[in-house]
PDB file of all heavy atoms in Angstrom:
ATOM      1  N   PHE H 230     151.253-157.454 185.506  1.00  0.00           N
ATOM      2  CA  PHE H 230     150.080-157.485 184.724  1.00  0.00           C
ATOM      3  C   PHE H 230     148.938-158.037 185.609  1.00  0.00           C
ATOM      4  O   PHE H 230     149.030-159.121 186.158  1.00  0.00           O
ATOM      5  CB  PHE H 230     150.276-158.379 183.470  1.00  0.00           C
ATOM      6  CG  PHE H 230     151.342-157.909 182.621  1.00  0.00           C
ATOM      7  CD1 PHE H 230     152.424-158.705 182.361  1.00  0.00           C
ATOM      8  CD2 PHE H 230     151.282-156.624 182.018  1.00  0.00           C
ATOM      9  CE1 PHE H 230     153.453-158.298 181.503  1.00  0.00           C
ATOM     10  CE2 PHE H 230     152.318-156.183 181.206  1.00  0.00           C
ATOM     11  CZ  PHE H 230     153.410-156.971 180.949  1.00  0.00           C
ATOM     12  N   ALA H 231     147.807-157.260 185.654  1.00  0.00           N
ATOM     13  CA  ALA H 231     146.694-157.675 186.512  1.00  0.00           C
ATOM     14  C   ALA H 231     145.515-158.091 185.663  1.00  0.00           C
ATOM     15  O   ALA H 231     144.654-158.860 186.104  1.00  0.00           O
ATOM     16  CB  ALA H 231     146.319-156.569 187.442  1.00  0.00           C
ATOM     17  N   TYR H 232     145.408-157.533 184.431  1.00  0.00           N
ATOM     18  CA  TYR H 232     144.264-157.758 183.586  1.00  0.00           C
ATOM     19  C   TYR H 232     144.555-157.416 182.163  1.00  0.00           C
ATOM     20  O   TYR H 232     145.401-156.529 181.915  1.00  0.00           O
ATOM     21  CB  TYR H 232     143.090-156.857 184.063  1.00  0.00           C
ATOM     22  CG  TYR H 232     141.720-157.314 183.704  1.00  0.00           C
ATOM     23  CD1 TYR H 232     141.003-158.206 184.447  1.00  0.00           C
ATOM     24  CD2 TYR H 232     141.115-156.833 182.508  1.00  0.00           C
ATOM     25  CE1 TYR H 232     139.749-158.621 184.142  1.00  0.00           C
ATOM     26  CE2 TYR H 232     139.823-157.257 182.201  1.00  0.00           C
ATOM     27  CZ  TYR H 232     139.153-158.173 182.999  1.00  0.00           C
ATOM     28  OH  TYR H 232     137.876-158.567 182.646  1.00  0.00           O
ATOM     29  N   MET H 233     143.962-158.102 181.207  1.00  0.00           N
ATOM     30  CA  MET H 233     144.111-157.805 179.798  1.00  0.00           C
ATOM     31  C   MET H 233     142.853-158.070 179.103  1.00  0.00           C
ATOM     32  O   MET H 233     142.221-159.124 179.203  1.00  0.00           O
ATOM     33  CB  MET H 233     145.250-158.658 179.191  1.00  0.00           C
ATOM     34  CG  MET H 233     145.735-158.115 177.799  1.00  0.00           C
ATOM     35  SD  MET H 233     144.581-158.242 176.403  1.00  0.00           S
ATOM     36  CE  MET H 233     144.255-159.999 176.401  1.00  0.00           C
ATOM     37  N   SER H 234     142.380-157.031 178.417  1.00  0.00           N
ATOM     38  CA  SER H 234     141.140-157.154 177.517  1.00  0.00           C
ATOM     39  C   SER H 234     141.558-156.992 176.075  1.00  0.00           C
ATOM     40  O   SER H 234     142.293-156.050 175.754  1.00  0.00           O
ATOM     41  CB  SER H 234     140.139-156.031 177.877  1.00  0.00           C
ATOM     42  OG  SER H 234     139.723-156.119 179.227  1.00  0.00           O
ATOM     43  N   MET H 235     141.066-157.896 175.247  1.00  0.00           N
ATOM     44  CA  MET H 235     141.410-157.816 173.840  1.00  0.00           C
ATOM     45  C   MET H 235     140.178-157.304 173.071  1.00  0.00           C
ATOM     46  O   MET H 235     139.072-157.676 173.369  1.00  0.00           O
ATOM     47  CB  MET H 235     141.745-159.233 173.331  1.00  0.00           C
ATOM     48  CG  MET H 235     142.710-159.238 172.199  1.00  0.00           C
ATOM     49  SD  MET H 235     143.640-160.746 172.144  1.00  0.00           S
ATOM     50  CE  MET H 235     142.944-161.454 170.730  1.00  0.00           C
ATOM     51  N   PHE H 236     140.445-156.396 172.089  1.00  0.00           N
ATOM     52  CA  PHE H 236     139.413-155.743 171.339  1.00  0.00           C
ATOM     53  C   PHE H 236     139.699-155.873 169.825  1.00  0.00           C
ATOM     54  O   PHE H 236     140.797-155.597 169.367  1.00  0.00           O
ATOM     55  CB  PHE H 236     139.387-154.251 171.662  1.00  0.00           C
ATOM     56  CG  PHE H 236     138.940-153.907 172.996  1.00  0.00           C
ATOM     57  CD1 PHE H 236     139.813-153.975 174.074  1.00  0.00           C
ATOM     58  CD2 PHE H 236     137.631-153.454 173.273  1.00  0.00           C
ATOM     59  CE1 PHE H 236     139.420-153.684 175.352  1.00  0.00           C
ATOM     60  CE2 PHE H 236     137.235-153.107 174.531  1.00  0.00           C
ATOM     61  CZ  PHE H 236     138.109-153.222 175.616  1.00  0.00           C
ATOM     62  N   ARG H 237     138.686-156.268 169.107  1.00  0.00           N
ATOM     63  CA  ARG H 237     138.758-156.311 167.627  1.00  0.00           C
ATOM     64  C   ARG H 237     138.774-154.904 167.097  1.00  0.00           C
ATOM     65  O   ARG H 237     139.393-154.574 166.090  1.00  0.00           O
ATOM     66  CB  ARG H 237     137.561-157.079 167.104  1.00  0.00           C
ATOM     67  CG  ARG H 237     137.440-157.140 165.610  1.00  0.00           C
ATOM     68  CD  ARG H 237     138.185-158.200 165.058  1.00  0.00           C
ATOM     69  NE  ARG H 237     138.049-158.164 163.598  1.00  0.00           N
ATOM     70  CZ  ARG H 237     138.533-159.002 162.814  1.00  0.00           C
ATOM     71  NH1 ARG H 237     139.200-160.013 163.255  1.00  0.00           N
ATOM     72  NH2 ARG H 237     138.384-158.889 161.471  1.00  0.00           N
ATOM     73  N   ASP H 238     138.080-153.963 167.764  1.00  0.00           N
ATOM     74  CA  ASP H 238     137.880-152.566 167.400  1.00  0.00           C
ATOM     75  C   ASP H 238     138.881-151.719 168.217  1.00  0.00           C
ATOM     76  O   ASP H 238     138.708-151.597 169.422  1.00  0.00           O
ATOM     77  CB  ASP H 238     136.429-152.162 167.675  1.00  0.00           C
ATOM     78  CG  ASP H 238     136.115-150.723 167.286  1.00  0.00           C
ATOM     79  OD1 ASP H 238     137.019-149.906 167.240  1.00  0.00           O
ATOM     80  OD2 ASP H 238     134.917-150.450 167.073  1.00  0.00           O
ATOM     81  N   ARG H 239     139.801-151.119 167.528  1.00  0.00           N
ATOM     82  CA  ARG H 239     140.825-150.289 168.244  1.00  0.00           C
ATOM     83  C   ARG H 239     140.222-149.080 168.916  1.00  0.00           C
ATOM     84  O   ARG H 239     140.701-148.645 169.958  1.00  0.00           O
ATOM     85  CB  ARG H 239     141.934-149.934 167.237  1.00  0.00           C
ATOM     86  CG  ARG H 239     142.793-151.072 166.872  1.00  0.00           C
ATOM     87  CD  ARG H 239     143.922-150.646 165.902  1.00  0.00           C
ATOM     88  NE  ARG H 239     144.858-151.718 165.696  1.00  0.00           N
ATOM     89  CZ  ARG H 239     145.920-151.532 164.952  1.00  0.00           C
ATOM     90  NH1 ARG H 239     146.138-150.417 164.333  1.00  0.00           N
ATOM     91  NH2 ARG H 239     146.740-152.567 164.806  1.00  0.00           N
ATOM     92  N   ALA H 240     139.194-148.488 168.319  1.00  0.00           N
ATOM     93  CA  ALA H 240     138.581-147.305 168.932  1.00  0.00           C
ATOM     94  C   ALA H 240     137.925-147.694 170.232  1.00  0.00           C
ATOM     95  O   ALA H 240     137.957-146.916 171.218  1.00  0.00           O
ATOM     96  CB  ALA H 240     137.599-146.678 167.951  1.00  0.00           C
ATOM     97  N   ALA H 241     137.287-148.819 170.308  1.00  0.00           N
ATOM     98  CA  ALA H 241     136.667-149.316 171.498  1.00  0.00           C
ATOM     99  C   ALA H 241     137.754-149.566 172.611  1.00  0.00           C
ATOM    100  O   ALA H 241     137.478-149.279 173.758  1.00  0.00           O
ATOM    101  CB  ALA H 241     135.825-150.582 171.245  1.00  0.00           C
ATOM    102  N   ALA H 242     138.901-150.066 172.184  1.00  0.00           N
ATOM    103  CA  ALA H 242     139.955-150.265 173.127  1.00  0.00           C
ATOM    104  C   ALA H 242     140.419-148.937 173.722  1.00  0.00           C
ATOM    105  O   ALA H 242     140.666-148.808 174.937  1.00  0.00           O
ATOM    106  CB  ALA H 242     141.150-150.979 172.458  1.00  0.00           C
ATOM    107  N   ALA H 243     140.594-147.968 172.846  1.00  0.00           N
ATOM    108  CA  ALA H 243     141.075-146.602 173.270  1.00  0.00           C
ATOM    109  C   ALA H 243     140.089-146.048 174.281  1.00  0.00           C
ATOM    110  O   ALA H 243     140.436-145.466 175.288  1.00  0.00           O
ATOM    111  CB  ALA H 243     141.307-145.724 172.094  1.00  0.00           C
ATOM    112  N   ALA H 244     138.758-146.178 173.969  1.00  0.00           N
ATOM    113  CA  ALA H 244     137.745-145.657 174.847  1.00  0.00           C
ATOM    114  C   ALA H 244     137.742-146.359 176.192  1.00  0.00           C
ATOM    115  O   ALA H 244     137.634-145.749 177.297  1.00  0.00           O
ATOM    116  CB  ALA H 244     136.364-145.795 174.210  1.00  0.00           C
ATOM    117  N   ALA H 245     137.915-147.688 176.236  1.00  0.00           N
ATOM    118  CA  ALA H 245     137.980-148.459 177.443  1.00  0.00           C
ATOM    119  C   ALA H 245     139.192-148.087 178.289  1.00  0.00           C
ATOM    120  O   ALA H 245     139.111-147.977 179.544  1.00  0.00           O
ATOM    121  CB  ALA H 245     137.996-149.984 177.177  1.00  0.00           C
ATOM    122  N   ALA H 246     140.308-147.826 177.616  1.00  0.00           N
ATOM    123  CA  ALA H 246     141.524-147.471 178.344  1.00  0.00           C
ATOM    124  C   ALA H 246     141.446-146.051 178.891  1.00  0.00           C
ATOM    125  O   ALA H 246     142.174-145.758 179.864  1.00  0.00           O
ATOM    126  CB  ALA H 246     142.728-147.587 177.426  1.00  0.00           C
ATOM    127  N   ALA H 247     140.619-145.232 178.350  1.00  0.00           N
ATOM    128  CA  ALA H 247     140.508-143.823 178.836  1.00  0.00           C
ATOM    129  C   ALA H 247     139.630-143.703 180.094  1.00  0.00           C
ATOM    130  O   ALA H 247     139.688-142.760 180.763  1.00  0.00           O
ATOM    131  CB  ALA H 247     139.905-142.977 177.702  1.00  0.00           C
ATOM    132  N   LYS H 248     138.818-144.742 180.350  1.00  0.00           N
ATOM    133  CA  LYS H 248     137.937-144.752 181.553  1.00  0.00           C
ATOM    134  C   LYS H 248     138.760-144.991 182.788  1.00  0.00           C
ATOM    135  O   LYS H 248     139.598-145.920 182.817  1.00  0.00           O
ATOM    136  CB  LYS H 248     136.864-145.828 181.398  1.00  0.00           C
ATOM    137  CG  LYS H 248     135.880-145.558 180.332  1.00  0.00           C
ATOM    138  CD  LYS H 248     134.828-146.639 180.274  1.00  0.00           C
ATOM    139  CE  LYS H 248     133.871-146.455 179.085  1.00  0.00           C
ATOM    140  NZ  LYS H 248     132.957-147.583 178.967  1.00  0.00           N
ATOM    141  N   LYS H 249     138.488-144.138 183.793  1.00  0.00           N
ATOM    142  CA  LYS H 249     139.149-144.375 185.095  1.00  0.00           C
ATOM    143  C   LYS H 249     138.481-145.501 185.809  1.00  0.00           C
ATOM    144  O   LYS H 249     137.273-145.702 185.722  1.00  0.00           O
ATOM    145  CB  LYS H 249     139.138-143.127 185.875  1.00  0.00           C
ATOM    146  CG  LYS H 249     139.927-142.009 185.226  1.00  0.00           C
ATOM    147  CD  LYS H 249     140.050-140.830 186.141  1.00  0.00           C
ATOM    148  CE  LYS H 249     140.850-139.787 185.373  1.00  0.00           C
ATOM    149  NZ  LYS H 249     141.577-138.886 186.139  1.00  0.00           N
TER     150      LYS H 249
END
Side-chain angles (χ1 to χ4, degrees):
F230 302 119
Y232 201 86
M233 195 290 303
S234 299
M235 209 153 109
F236 292 81
R237 175 87 183 183
D238 181 337
R239 288 181 171 181
K248 292 180 185 174
K249 295 190 182 206

